[in-house]
Amino acid sequence: MAIIMPSRRVRKTPFSPGVEAAGVKGYTVYNHMLLPTFFESVDADAAHLKQHVQVWDVAVERQVQIKGPDALRLMKMISPRDMDKMADDQCYYVPSVDHNGGMLNDPVSIKLADDHYWLSVADGDLWQYALGIAIALGLDVEVDEPDVSPLAVQGPKADDLMARVFGDVVRDIKFFRYKRLPFEGQEFVVARSGWSKQGGFEIYVEGTENGMPLWDALFAAGEDLNVRAGCPNNIERVESGLLSFGSDMRRENTPYECGLGRFCNSPEDYIGKAALAEQAKNGPPRQIRPIVIEGEIGACTGSWPLLVDGRQVGQVASAVFSPEFGVNVAIGMVDRSHWDAGTRMEIETEHGMRGAVVQEKFWR
Amino acid sequence: MAIIMPSRRVRKTPFSPGVEAAGVKGYTVYNHMLLPTFFESVDADAAHLKQHVQVWDVAVERQVQIKGPDALRLMKMISPRDMDKMADDQCYYVPSVDHNGGMLNDPVSIKLADDHYWLSVADGDLWQYALGIAIALGLDVEVDEPDVSPLAVQGPKADDLMARVFGDVVRDIKFFRYKRLPFEGQEFVVARSGWSKQGGFEIYVEGTENGMPLWDALFAAGEDLNVRAGCPNNIERVESGLLSFGSDMRRENTPYECGLGRFCNSPEDYIGKAALAEQAKNGPPRQIRPIVIEGEIGACTGSWPLLVDGRQVGQVASAVFSPEFGVNVAIGMVDRSHWDAGTRMEIETEHGMRGAVVQEKFWR
């Protein structure tokens, strides 16, 4: 096991002092920034998340800011989703694609004003794509990364903790909607969202200097709720079927292959629309499926081929033992010929061959 | 110290089995891939590099492939350098900028054919920028990431080691030129280049499956040369003034600020040219400078402000003790008012205030 050191290039976050004090034991890097991977253990963190409430440093969800008279025009080019239907307080999950319909990122976009959007991006410099288009077409729009760092509050007690810090008004925030709420003289976008299915919020903290005061306030308010530092949890998110861009899906996949076809409803001539037309009509040649892997599996540190009679019919890039469900849960990308629930395959893990079975649905 | 685990998103390289077997102790992440940071210790690795020869897994130097009838047109848009002067076997250092002249990346471009270029990129998805431009303008060009992983051979004995594997022809390769050389039925681009000033080569290994055979061949051939696994070394590279994009320079800096003005000589109307005109004429308001920091310093894990009378006049993002030169060597970005050699400042390190002095030149 090798260690990792931060630098200016792979940077700490506004919440790093809190994360370090809480005894973070693992990091990954995401959008040129440190992202915790576990505190006590992935198992123990998952069990706690499902019972109590956690505060997550997800500052790595960097914002691509698109602002100016041509902001909506640019958004409509890079979004397969109908942006005209977006409410003023809405968060839109947007699987952005290239001219071939290949996924470039799957950000959550937030509409701050008619001429002002944030895209909360998965791992990847989507701002460079947006910037290239904007420059090439001479659009009147700024594309940059503002000083905004999301902090997530996740778990069944998230509403109670958030209400103590932001007031009972948080209980009225609907799923994938946001309100601007005051905190110590600042005002933050607070959305009901987050990368778990335990419920909760993401607070878009503007201003690095406001990070630790909010972190500290949440921990002070939540002592009797058993609040802990946490992070996106690999067990809970695979059980929930939450896809990781770069692992479960990549540029070679379309939104239809990722089960995200319902987000491709824009009437505009967005980039990639023509390329997606065939899959929109006939369905994709492969698609995301929940998979159970039999036997003992170690860590999944790459991509595991799914095999039938020695022929590859897909792969798995996320797999982990679920203590709650008592099986190895996994996310696969499986060819149409073998994607039906109940289909048995072999899987070539880095720890040996195992059996694998397609499931009807994810575990929650 | 937290550990890091690879995944499909933060992936291993074709050389990872060799790196792991050699006992890598630290990693960073660069272009969504693992990059070793030290083996024995940064000190011991530096001393060995300066005496012997090392093999470096720099697969993280991912290639942006620009191929097709409009390849040169796209290159001329994103390169401030005169691409028409590029010889067929040449490697060109290209500080690519946005419309404001801000640095987006500093790749080394390789001309494979008149309609085929690779950009060996620093940390950042420059391919998304190139792709955005290509799509917006409808250029007839492919922008993608081929299965190419550079392996560097660096150190004073690099010519001898490389000659044993590729033949004495490697001795004829000039600085920043390349030859295509055969290896076990393959043919690789072999350039005299690399991220040290100890001399050496970079081999652009095409095909993941060819990585370990080449790694093993180099180690087998170099036993009596005391060949070791190494990596870009933080001491040697700061002594040498080799800039790290993302740390020493970022989008807020122009090539002139980075001391790279001589590479902005294109007669074409490249993106950012107009914005750079003022600095081309009058010089930049701040610039990279070698700095000595006094006293004991710990690790530099972020950006350290340079202060004069409490006012910030620059910052340092790379600083480390040099056993060879007996001082703390550092790379600063310093305002014009204080960039003259000999200027004394204070620096706010994360371990306390220290004295800092601008130097005449880097240490090699």
Side-chain angles (χ1 to χ4, degrees):
Chain A
M1 292 293 195
I3 60 163
I4 183 160
M5 282 270 291
S7 60
R8 193 183 188 207
R9 180 181 61 76
V10 176
R11 64 198 197 277
K12 289 176 280 189
T13 86
F15 316 110
S16 289
V19 165
E20 293 284 338
V24 63
K25 289 186 186 146
Y27 277 124
T28 187
V29 175
Y30 196 100
N31 284 326
H32 313 280
M33 226 177 200
L34 294 178
L35 173 66
T37 54
F38 69 103
F39 285 82
E40 189 178 341
S41 70
V42 181
D43 276 24
D45 290 0
H48 177 268
L49 169 64
K50 294 170 186 179
Q51 275 196 293
H52 303 289
V53 58
Q54 294 183 349
V55 177
W56 294 2
D57 173 0
V58 286
V60 299
E61 295 171 9
R62 306 311 297 165
Q63 304 306 302
V64 178
Q65 177 161 263
I66 297 185
K67 189 176 181 182
D70 286 329
L72 182 58
R73 182 173 162 205
L74 180 55
M75 287 295 293
K76 286 182 173 180
M77 293 183 70
I78 65 178
S79 167
R81 202 155 168 192
D82 186 350
M83 297 303 296
D84 286 328
K85 291 209 176 110
M86 191 179 195
D88 284 345
D89 66 342
Q90 200 157 11
C91 313
Y92 251 20
Y93 183 53
V94 168
S96 193
V97 300
D98 66 18
H99 56 309
N100 297 317
M103 296 271 293
L104 293 175
N105 206 294
D106 65 330
V108 172
S109 79
I110 289 190
K111 182 179 180 175
L112 298 166
D114 287 337
D115 62 352
H116 189 187
Y117 296 83
W118 284 344
L119 293 166
S120 191
V121 291
D123 190 29
D125 297 328
L126 188 69
W127 65 270
Q128 297 218 8
Y129 179 66
L131 180 68
I133 296 168
I135 291 175
L137 298 182
L139 300 185
D140 188 0
V141 66
E142 287 166 43
V143 178
D144 55 21
E145 182 184 309
D147 181 12
V148 174
S149 297
L151 187 67
V153 178
Q154 300 284 301
K157 301 179 188 168
D159 278 58
D160 291 339
L161 176 55
M162 286 291 286
R164 293 182 188 181
V165 173
F166 288 97
D168 274 325
V169 64
V170 299
R171 301 184 193 276
D172 302 331
I173 302 175
K174 296 197 181 108
F175 186 64
F176 264 49
R177 299 277 175 147
Y178 76 84
K179 290 186 191 294
R180 292 175 186 271
L181 298 178
F183 174 79
E184 292 186 4
Q186 309 294 319
E187 195 183 65
F188 300 139
V189 168
V190 178
R192 191 179 289 274
S193 56
W195 216 53
S196 86
K197 287 204 173 170
Q198 303 308 314
F201 301 85
E202 287 175 302
I203 309 153
Y204 290 72
V205 180
E206 288 182 73
T208 294
E209 68 283 4
N210 296 315
M212 282 309 298
L214 177 60
W215 176 281
D216 290 337
L218 286 163
F219 279 87
E223 214 170 316
D224 62 301
L225 299 176
N226 193 9
V227 63
R228 285 195 202 164
C231 50
N233 182 279
N234 201 43
I235 297 173
E236 200 276 345
R237 77 104 182 159
V238 176
E239 292 168 347
S240 300
L242 296 172
L243 307 184
S244 171
F245 184 75
S247 284
D248 304 312
M249 53 189 177
R250 300 161 66 99
R251 191 179 170 195
E252 69 247 33
N253 302 116
T254 68
Y256 292 93
E257 294 177 2
C258 305
L260 307 174
R262 65 190 179 282
F263 299 115
C264 302
N265 65 347
S266 171
E268 309 278 338
D269 187 25
Y270 64 85
I271 293 168
K273 187 177 191 176
L276 290 175
E278 198 276 326
Q279 290 194 11
K281 192 175 164 201
N282 301 317
R286 64 194 67 81
Q287 201 168 50
I288 290 288
R289 284 291 182 275
I291 307 275
V292 159
I293 303 176
E294 299 168 342
E296 288 210 4
I297 59 168
C300 181
T301 69
S303 178
W304 293 348
L306 288 163
L307 303 165
V308 170
D309 299 332
R311 187 170 61 84
Q312 188 170 353
V313 297
Q315 82 278 331
V316 159
S318 301
V320 66
F321 179 72
S322 160
E324 180 179 348
F325 297 100
V327 293
N328 300 308
V329 296
I331 298 173
M333 181 70 77
V334 188
D335 288 354
R336 185 196 291 241
S337 57
H338 292 79
W339 73 22
D340 287 344
T343 305
R344 289 193 60 86
M345 292 169 284
E346 285 195 294
I347 185 163
E348 190 181 343
T349 80
E350 57 209 271
H351 318 281
M353 295 294 286
R354 301 287 185 272
V357 182
V358 177
Q359 305 298 300
E360 184 69 34
K361 50 187 182 178
F362 284 99
W363 291 264
R364 75 170 60 82
Chain B
M1 292 292 195
I3 60 164
I4 182 161
M5 282 271 291
S7 60
R8 193 184 189 206
R9 179 181 62 77
V10 176
R11 63 197 199 277
K12 289 176 282 192
T13 86
F15 316 110
S16 289
V19 165
E20 293 284 338
V24 63
K25 289 187 186 146
Y27 277 125
T28 186
V29 174
Y30 195 101
N31 284 326
H32 313 280
M33 225 177 201
L34 294 177
L35 173 66
T37 53
F38 69 103
F39 286 82
E40 190 179 340
S41 69
V42 181
D43 277 23
D45 289 1
H48 176 269
L49 169 64
K50 294 170 185 178
Q51 276 197 292
H52 303 289
V53 58
Q54 294 183 349
V55 177
W56 293 3
D57 174 0
V58 286
V60 298
E61 295 170 9
R62 304 312 296 166
Q63 304 306 302
V64 178
Q65 176 161 264
I66 297 185
K67 190 177 183 182
D70 285 329
L72 182 58
R73 183 174 163 203
L74 180 54
M75 287 295 293
K76 286 182 174 181
M77 293 182 70
I78 65 178
S79 169
R81 201 155 169 193
D82 186 351
M83 297 303 296
D84 286 327
K85 292 210 175 110
M86 191 179 195
D88 284 346
D89 66 342
Q90 200 157 12
C91 313
Y92 252 19
Y93 184 55
V94 168
S96 193
V97 300
D98 67 17
H99 56 309
N100 296 317
M103 297 270 294
L104 293 175
N105 206 294
D106 65 330
V108 172
S109 78
I110 289 188
K111 182 180 180 175
L112 298 166
D114 287 337
D115 63 352
H116 190 187
Y117 295 83
W118 284 344
L119 294 166
S120 191
V121 290
D123 190 28
D125 296 329
L126 187 69
W127 65 270
Q128 296 217 10
Y129 180 65
L131 180 68
I133 296 168
I135 291 175
L137 298 182
L139 300 186
D140 188 1
V141 66
E142 287 166 44
V143 178
D144 55 20
E145 182 184 308
D147 181 11
V148 175
S149 297
L151 187 66
V153 177
Q154 301 284 301
K157 301 180 188 169
D159 278 59
D160 292 340
L161 177 55
M162 286 291 286
R164 293 181 189 183
V165 173
F166 288 98
D168 275 325
V169 64
V170 298
R171 301 185 193 275
D172 302 331
I173 302 174
K174 294 194 182 112
F175 186 65
F176 263 50
R177 298 278 174 148
Y178 75 83
K179 290 186 190 295
R180 291 174 186 272
L181 299 178
F183 174 79
E184 293 187 1
Q186 308 295 318
E187 196 184 64
F188 300 139
V189 167
V190 178
R192 191 178 288 275
S193 56
W195 215 52
S196 85
K197 286 204 173 169
Q198 303 306 313
F201 301 86
E202 287 175 304
I203 309 153
Y204 290 73
V205 180
E206 289 183 72
T208 294
E209 68 283 5
N210 297 314
M212 282 309 297
L214 176 60
W215 176 281
D216 289 337
L218 287 162
F219 279 88
E223 214 170 315
D224 62 302
L225 299 176
N226 194 8
V227 62
R228 283 194 203 165
C231 49
N233 182 281
N234 200 43
I235 296 173
E236 200 275 346
R237 76 104 182 160
V238 176
E239 292 169 348
S240 300
L242 296 172
L243 308 184
S244 172
F245 184 76
S247 284
D248 304 312
M249 53 190 176
R250 300 161 66 99
R251 190 179 170 194
E252 68 247 33
N253 302 116
T254 69
Y256 292 93
E257 294 177 3
C258 305
L260 307 175
R262 66 191 179 281
F263 300 116
C264 302
N265 65 347
S266 171
E268 310 277 339
D269 188 26
Y270 64 85
I271 293 168
K273 187 177 191 177
L276 290 174
E278 198 276 326
Q279 290 194 10
K281 192 176 164 200
N282 301 318
R286 63 193 67 81
Q287 201 168 50
I288 290 289
R289 283 293 181 274
I291 307 276
V292 159
I293 303 176
E294 299 168 341
E296 289 210 3
I297 59 168
C300 180
T301 69
S303 178
W304 292 348
L306 288 163
L307 303 165
V308 170
D309 299 331
R311 188 169 61 87
Q312 188 169 354
V313 296
Q315 82 278 333
V316 160
S318 302
V320 66
F321 179 72
S322 161
E324 180 179 347
F325 297 100
V327 293
N328 301 309
V329 296
I331 298 174
M333 181 68 79
V334 188
D335 289 353
R336 185 195 289 242
S337 57
H338 292 79
W339 72 22
D340 288 344
T343 304
R344 288 193 59 86
M345 294 169 282
E346 284 195 295
I347 185 162
E348 190 182 345
T349 79
E350 56 210 90
H351 319 281
M353 295 295 287
R354 301 285 186 273
V357 183
V358 177
Q359 305 298 300
E360 185 68 34
K361 49 187 180 175
F362 285 99
W363 292 264
R364 74 170 59 83

